[in-house]
Amino acid sequence: MTNQLTWSANTISELYKARWQIEIFFREITQLMHIKTFIGTSENAVMIQIWTALITILVLKYLEVMAKYSWYLSNLVAFIRLNIFVKISLQEWLDNPFEGPPPNIFRGFCFDQNCKIMPKMYKKRFL
């Protein structure tokens, strides 16, 4: 780009700004999504990974905006990874992430025969 003597300085600076935005995008993909290399080698495989990362970042940024708590995007990603299988209300968790878990968080797990919420047919089969 720098050997284009017919282009104005303003045009070249705009091209560099656009290139810098691409660099920032790939930095976000590698840091937030922990994508170090592309899994596939074909053009289609790379495009699928890029589109998947774009959709994921879009959803995460939407959750960041939707939350009442002031999240940093990297912290939100880390907390979602830690709590991905916890059964709680997403909106409540996004708004108050440091409140204690709800009292019935382990409601679906019973380890003895006196469990009142486990159906009888499962008690006979598993206990």
Side-chain angles (χ1 to χ4, degrees), residues 23-68:
E23 295 290 332
I24 290 172
F25 164 71
F26 277 103
R27 187 193 71 201
E28 282 187 349
I29 287 178
T30 57
Q31 287 180 348
L32 290 176
M33 303 294 117
H34 295 284
I35 297 174
K36 303 298 179 200
T37 59
F38 290 111
I39 297 171
T41 56
S42 70
E43 179 184 352
N44 188 43
V46 171
M47 291 303 290
I48 288 172
Q49 290 180 14
I50 290 174
W51 278 108
T52 304
L54 277 171
I55 292 168
T56 304
I57 289 172
L58 183 67
V59 169
L60 288 169
K61 287 191 177 196
Y62 174 74
L63 291 175
E64 179 185 24
V65 169
M66 188 176 75
K68 291 178 184 172

Side-chain angles (χ1 to χ4, degrees), residues 37-126:
T37 59
F38 290 111
I39 297 171
T41 56
S42 70
E43 179 184 352
N44 188 43
V46 171
M47 291 303 290
I48 288 172
Q49 290 180 14
I50 290 174
W51 278 108
T52 304
L54 277 171
I55 292 168
T56 304
I57 289 172
L58 183 67
V59 169
L60 288 169
K61 287 191 177 196
Y62 174 74
L63 291 175
E64 179 185 24
V65 169
M66 188 176 75
K68 291 178 184 172
Y69 182 77
S70 167
W71 286 98
Y72 290 107
L73 196 57
S74 59
N75 290 347
L76 180 60
V77 170
F79 272 72
I80 287 177
R81 279 194 184 119
L82 291 172
N83 295 295
I84 192 75
F85 294 111
V86 177
K87 187 177 178 180
I88 55 176
S89 167
L90 179 62
Q91 184 64 54
E92 290 177 20
W93 179 79
L94 286 171
D95 294 342
N96 301 310
F98 299 109
E99 282 189 6
N104 293 329
I105 193 166
F106 295 109
R107 188 172 179 194
F109 299 99
C110 295
F111 299 104
D112 62 3
Q113 292 186 12
N114 297 325
C115 181
K116 294 180 182 174
I117 61 170
M118 183 182 278
K120 290 180 182 178
M121 60 185 243
Y122 291 118
K123 283 184 185 180
K124 291 177 184 175
R125 187 179 299 164
F126 296 113

